[in-house]
Amino acid sequence: MHNLPLPYLLRTVRLLQSCHCLLGARMPSLLRNYSSRSGLLLFPKIKPWPPASIPIRFLNQDISISTEANNPLSVHSTSSSSDQDEYSLKSDLSPSLEGEKAKVQSTSMGPPKKLSYVEVLEAFSSDSHSQHDLYCCIMDLWRSLTNEKKMKLSDKQLISEHPNFHNLCYGVMKSAPSMSNRFLVCSLYVFVSLKVNQKTRLIQTLLNICQQRLSTLRVEEISILAKCLKMMESDKNVDILNSGLCLLIELKCEAMKDVTAIQNMMRIAPAHLRRNFEEKALQMVDKFTVSQCHNMFSVLAGINLHSESLLDFCSHKLIDCLDELSCKRIISLTGCCSKLLYFNEKLLSAIGENIKNNIYMWDMWQISLVLTSMAFLRFRYVPLLDYFADKIMQESESLTTSYLVKTAKIYSMLNHLPEGKEDKFLNTLNKALDLHMDSMNKKELLRTFYNLCILGLVSSSINKFLEDQSLPGILDNIEKSYLSHIKLCMLLESGSSPYSIQDLEKIEANHSHSVFMCHTFLKNHFKDPTLYQENMQFPSSYFIDFVLTLDKEQRKLIPTGDVQTVEGSQDITRIAVLCCTPNAFTLGSLHPVGKLALKMRHLKSLGFTVVAVPVNQLLMLTEAKKVEFLRENIFNGTSSNQNSVLVNEVKQIAHHET
């Protein structure tokens, strides 16, 4: 064949593809940079004819196209790529249009413009829109949808009912085969987020093309596609794409050498593949930057994967580089620790120290967020707590309801009051409560009263609150227990005790394995069963593991059977031994928190000397250390020094084990 007819033949095909004829629509797209073997290049500046207003008819074919076939939102479930050709035009873009598309791609990553949904669609002209307008509209919608965590239903309805929305859908469906991968997955994300029926031709077209291009997707595009599929219901195309995506993610895991890419893939990886990425990340920990260490906390919190090894390594690096993190990132870091239940005392201490040294950079609301996360982890950083309490007392007149509720919760969870300023701090909270009481809902008010009771403050407004007859009907079981504790506080802290030692009764109790082992050790230590009472409880009130009777003068335990003979003696004291799990104390100490703090205070008001035994820590000690701890706490009384000795001993054991 002569060389000259070939370029003209290809030029004719291109012109047919650029018009609206059925023959041109069915012609497969050809590579634009094709060259013949003879070296004759195609003419690069061939300009296609403008689209004809009336389709050209070839070979007596019917030129009528049904309305349903042109409707991108018509429900038509399809799973084969051959059906797709009937309603999508596989037309190549002209060179000038490709340049325009490349320009959009290069500028799409620039600073996003804050446009409303209506403004975005108004900018998309239904009469004379170009490919550039189509891409800009999709990317603006994608940015808006990804920046907003929760879109209002009214906004979605406003978009779907906009006159230009149907034209946008048809334009995307028509141009889908020629779109880049990024615009393809962004388009799918937009329409899925807007709750377009996934059985429509539009969604099925996008899904089919995603299947065809799955192996060419980059990590960012895979991430967007994975988010889309999570929002969609199961059907044939979605399931096939999900299966292919899982295989693709697994294959990419082996070849990945970039830390950021691994972290991005961890966010979207299926549950059964997350451990693979964890192992891959552990192999690359030496390459982690400070920012990537922080981001690892965010990734693990997002997928709820508690990887102790990764967290420990990242913590070790972050402790020395906290000055490189902004306030927002430090807040995020403590939030991730609380979500993952990552109890790292060294990291939290370093965060508290960093905030204290740079306190001028921190606002009150930022400190409150950090303290809330620390309180959830039971970490009591005294300097920061005292500073925040001082600020609360200084700004007592402008204390808002949210600050009041948050402050009461933080300080009650940690059972902390600023040293030397306890009364002033509690009075500040009490005055704020009286001021805002009418504007607070009943459940919020109940929790605040309960938190203040833990701190030892029975508010003067509580009687008015308890007079509400509708209160018991709106409370759940936990809130009803709060209410009973509040009423008990009013009785015990007013001096009128509702119980006496004679009211104690033995009950059957089911203990955890660690508590059962602790009970076994204590019984073996006391030896004589007459020297203790086990599993005792006040009626509908506090439970006590062991009740002992101690003769302080002779420093020995005496039988508890004959209560009346020892009741009046001043040398006789009752000891309540409480076997406590780790969540009853602050992190790294034996400072009681929450209900344990309230229980210990009330038992003391009932005449008991309280000994709180940290079960998990006690079981880690040698037999000699266990006996020493009990002897010091029972016969000499509890003290913070003795408690700290036990904690230090346990820390040394843990250090040697690691």
Side-chain angles (χ1 to χ4, degrees):
M1 185 176 180
H2 197 272
N3 288 336
L4 286 180
L6 180 59
Y8 290 106
L9 173 62
L10 294 177
R11 176 177 179 176
T12 304
V13 171
R14 293 264 170 78
L15 294 178
L16 289 174
Q17 289 177 333
S18 65
C19 69
H20 285 184
C21 65
L22 293 179
L23 180 60
R26 286 176 169 80
M27 287 184 178
S29 57
L30 300 175
L31 293 177
R32 196 167 295 279
N33 292 326
Y34 174 85
S35 60
S36 65
R37 290 187 177 181
S38 61
L40 293 177
L41 298 177
L42 299 183
F43 299 103
K45 296 185 179 180
I46 297 177
K47 295 184 179 180
W49 293 343
S53 57
I54 302 176
I56 302 175
R57 194 172 170 185
F58 287 92
L59 305 177
N60 294 325
Q61 293 182 2
D62 187 5
I63 64 171
S64 62
I65 302 175
S66 65
T67 306
E68 181 182 359
N70 282 321
N71 186 3
L73 299 180
S74 62
V75 177
H76 179 77
S77 179
T78 180
S79 58
S80 63
S81 58
S82 60
D83 294 339
Q84 176 186 321
D85 296 337
E86 296 182 5
Y87 51 81
S88 63
L89 298 176
K90 294 186 176 180
S91 59
D92 282 343
L93 302 174
S94 65
S96 60
L97 198 54
E98 276 196 346
E100 192 174 23
K101 172 182 173 182
K103 183 179 178 181
V104 176
Q105 291 177 334
S106 63
T107 59
S108 61
M109 305 311 296
K113 298 178 181 179
K114 186 66 176 178
L115 297 174
S116 67
Y117 304 111
V118 176
E119 290 173 336
V120 170
L121 287 171
E122 287 292 344
F124 183 72
S125 173
S126 59
D127 297 329
S128 58
H129 67 268
S130 64
Q131 202 80 1
H132 177 273
D133 297 330
L134 178 69
Y135 289 128
C136 285
C137 185
I138 286 295
M139 294 308 296
D140 286 338
L141 284 174
W142 178 73
R143 291 191 193 98
S144 300
L145 290 167
T146 52
N147 289 336
E148 290 192 16
K149 293 184 179 179
K150 189 173 182 181
M151 187 179 180
K152 296 179 181 178
L153 185 61
S154 58
D155 289 336
K156 292 182 180 180
Q157 186 175 1
L158 197 64
I159 294 174
S160 60
E161 294 178 354
H162 194 279
N164 289 345
F165 183 68
H166 184 275
N167 295 284
L168 175 67
C169 295
Y170 182 75
V172 169
M173 187 182 74
K174 176 182 174 182
S175 305
S178 60
M179 280 183 174
S180 69
N181 289 346
R182 179 171 179 81
F183 286 116
L184 181 68
V185 294
C186 287
S187 300
L188 182 62
Y189 183 90
V190 167
F191 295 119
V192 170
S193 299
L194 294 175
K195 302 298 181 184
V196 173
N197 190 337
Q198 71 181 58
K199 294 184 179 180
T200 56
R201 292 177 177 274
L202 170 65
I203 300 296
Q204 294 298 316
T205 299
L206 296 176
L207 287 175
N208 278 324
I209 299 175
C210 285
Q211 288 179 24
Q212 298 168 14
R213 300 189 189 177
L214 191 57
S215 59
T216 65
L217 296 182
R218 295 179 298 177
V219 173
E220 295 176 357
E221 296 154 1
I222 292 174
S223 177
I224 298 172
L225 180 59
K227 292 176 183 177
C228 293
L229 296 179
K230 285 182 180 179
M231 295 187 288
M232 301 180 73
E233 298 177 0
S234 175
D235 69 14
K236 187 175 181 180
N237 276 348
V238 172
D239 293 343
I240 291 174
L241 197 52
N242 256 324
S243 301
L245 197 61
C246 289
L247 291 174
L248 181 64
I249 291 173
E250 188 172 5
L251 290 173
K252 284 187 175 291
C253 177
E254 299 296 329
M256 279 188 179
K257 297 182 180 180
D258 181 64
V259 176
T260 303
I262 290 175
Q263 291 178 340
N264 290 336
M265 294 298 281
M266 285 181 74
R267 294 182 187 273
I268 62 171
H272 67 281
L273 293 178
R274 288 172 183 171
R275 291 295 177 185
N276 296 0
F277 283 98
E278 178 189 357
E279 294 174 2
K280 189 72 175 180
L282 285 171
Q283 296 171 8
M284 304 177 65
V285 289
D286 294 334
K287 299 180 181 179
F288 280 21
T289 64
V290 174
S291 178
Q292 289 168 341
C293 286
H294 174 271
N295 192 42
M296 183 56 71
F297 274 84
S298 177
V299 170
L300 294 176
I303 62 178
N304 198 23
L305 176 63
H306 185 102
S307 173
E308 196 77 18
S309 302
L310 275 176
L311 292 172
D312 286 344
F313 176 85
C314 293
S315 298
H316 181 73
K317 191 160 188 173
L318 288 173
I319 286 173
D320 299 326
C321 305
L322 285 174
D323 288 332
E324 299 181 26
L325 300 182
S326 63
C327 297
K328 184 177 180 181
R329 285 198 159 196
I330 292 177
I331 294 170
S332 170
L333 182 61
T334 54
C336 292
C337 288
S338 64
K339 185 174 181 180
L340 291 168
L341 295 179
Y342 180 57
F343 300 93
N344 189 320
E345 188 180 354
K346 291 183 179 179
L347 176 62
L348 295 173
S349 298
I351 290 174
E353 186 70 18
N354 180 270
I355 296 174
K356 186 187 73 172
N357 295 337
N358 302 284
I359 201 67
Y360 61 91
M361 299 173 57
W362 289 78
D363 295 328
M364 283 285 286
W365 66 271
Q366 292 176 318
I367 297 176
S368 70
L369 293 176
V370 173
L371 288 177
T372 300
S373 297
M374 286 184 171
F376 189 79
L377 294 169
R378 308 187 321 276
F379 180 72
R380 179 171 166 256
Y381 190 74
V382 176
L384 194 58
L385 287 165
D386 288 349
Y387 173 83
F388 190 77
D390 287 338
K391 285 292 185 181
I392 290 292
M393 290 183 283
Q394 292 172 13
E395 303 174 8
S396 58
E397 296 181 356
S398 59
L399 192 62
T400 62
T401 304
S402 60
Y403 271 113
L404 168 64
V405 173
K406 189 170 291 187
T407 303
K409 183 178 180 180
I410 291 170
Y411 285 82
S412 65
M413 288 177 71
L414 296 173
N415 185 30
H416 178 80
L417 291 173
E419 187 176 357
K421 303 176 183 178
E422 295 89 346
D423 294 337
K424 182 179 179 181
F425 181 66
L426 291 176
N427 288 335
T428 300
L429 297 182
N430 193 26
K431 289 179 182 178
L433 182 61
D434 292 339
L435 181 64
H436 299 293
M437 185 174 174
D438 295 334
S439 62
M440 299 170 65
N441 64 61
K442 294 177 183 178
K443 291 189 176 183
E444 187 178 51
L445 197 56
L446 172 67
R447 294 189 183 97
T448 305
F449 277 127
Y450 172 73
N451 290 331
L452 292 178
C453 284
I454 290 179
L455 293 173
L457 172 65
V458 179
S459 175
S460 56
S461 307
I462 201 167
N463 287 321
K464 177 183 175 182
F465 174 72
L466 295 177
E467 290 173 359
D468 190 344
Q469 300 296 327
S470 64
L471 189 62
I474 63 172
L475 304 179
D476 56 27
N477 292 333
I478 295 178
E479 290 163 345
K480 287 178 180 177
S481 70
Y482 291 166
L483 189 60
S484 63
H485 278 90
I486 291 172
K487 293 178 179 178
L488 190 59
C489 284
M490 295 178 65
L491 290 173
L492 292 176
E493 305 201 10
S494 63
S496 57
S497 174
Y499 304 115
S500 65
I501 294 178
Q502 290 84 351
D503 294 328
L504 280 171
E505 55 187 14
K506 186 176 179 63
I507 65 168
E508 293 292 331
N510 294 322
H511 298 299
S512 64
H513 178 67
S514 58
V515 174
F516 176 77
M517 291 179 64
C518 185
H519 273 233
T520 303
F521 167 75
L522 290 172
K523 287 187 288 186
N524 292 336
H525 177 73
F526 298 140
K527 295 180 180 178
D528 188 356
T530 63
L531 297 179
Y532 62 86
Q533 292 174 293
E534 185 183 8
N535 298 332
M536 306 301 290
Q537 184 175 13
F538 288 107
S540 302
S541 184
Y542 293 122
F543 173 83
I544 304 174
D545 291 272
F546 290 91
V547 176
L548 310 175
T549 305
L550 176 68
D551 187 336
K552 293 188 291 184
E553 183 178 357
Q554 298 183 11
R555 296 171 60 82
K556 69 175 185 178
L557 297 175
I558 60 177
T560 59
D562 191 0
V563 178
Q564 296 179 352
T565 58
V566 299
E567 191 68 31
S569 175
Q570 295 182 353
D571 293 331
I572 301 301
T573 182
R574 292 283 185 175
I575 299 177
V577 180
L578 307 178
C579 297
C580 306
T581 52
N583 59 1
F585 305 99
T586 54
L587 188 63
S589 74
L590 294 181
H591 180 78
V593 297
K595 290 183 179 181
L596 176 62
L598 185 65
K599 180 178 181 178
M600 292 177 67
R601 191 168 71 247
H602 287 170
L603 289 177
K604 288 177 182 178
S605 68
L606 291 171
F608 286 92
T609 297
V610 182
V611 176
V613 179
V615 173
N616 293 53
Q617 296 184 7
L618 185 71
L619 295 177
M620 293 174 64
L621 301 177
T622 62
E623 291 297 318
K625 290 292 183 180
K626 292 177 185 177
V627 173
E628 181 183 351
F629 170 77
L630 292 177
R631 184 183 296 115
E632 289 180 350
N633 282 271
I634 292 175
F635 295 105
N636 297 334
T638 57
S639 69
S640 58
N641 292 333
Q642 292 158 1
N643 290 342
S644 63
V645 169
L646 175 64
V647 174
N648 291 334
E649 180 71 22
V650 173
K651 287 183 177 179
Q652 291 176 6
I653 294 174
H655 176 72
H656 289 308
E657 289 179 351
T658 56

